[in-house]
Amino acid sequence: MLCVHHAFRTADVHEVLPPLLSPVVVLVMSVLHAFDGPAGQRPAGRLVRVPRGRAALGTALSAWELRRLRTRYGTTLRRALGRRSR
């Protein structure tokens, strides 16, 4: 998740962008890992559960970060898009 923030510098565009892009990056990396093949001798069930767990954890952390930005700092997706709330 920090690679989206620091390496891609998406927080320079807007504070909400890193938590929006992080689930996409985690999902793509999980899919690539699933099709790349096993790195060693692992049970078949573990090869399926670990990438799904990674994607779910990345999405949950991003949702938590979006909620934290909204509750503590008032930063919302609507303000990121330049829209005013009524």
Side-chain angles (χ1 to χ4, degrees):
M1 306 245 310
L2 288 175
C3 72
V4 176
H5 182 78
H6 293 292
F8 299 143
R9 296 181 58 134
T10 55
D12 291 343
V13 177
H14 198 274
E15 296 88 6
V16 179
L17 203 53
L20 290 177
L21 289 180
S22 293
V24 175
V25 172
V26 171
L27 186 63
V28 167
M29 293 303 292
S30 296
V31 168
L32 289 176
H33 178 74
F35 289 113
D36 193 27
Q41 298 293 341
R42 295 185 188 147
R46 194 169 180 200
L47 291 173
V48 174
R49 285 191 308 250
V50 171
R52 277 198 278 167
R54 247 186 246 136
L57 181 63
T59 303
L61 285 174
S62 294
W64 174 74
E65 187 176 355
L66 281 171
R67 182 181 178 279
R68 187 180 62 87
L69 284 171
R70 186 190 69 226
T71 56
R72 287 190 182 180
Y73 305 108
T75 305
T76 62
L77 184 59
R78 286 187 181 186
R79 289 189 183 149
L81 296 174
R83 298 178 182 163
R84 291 186 179 183
S85 59
R86 294 180 188 190

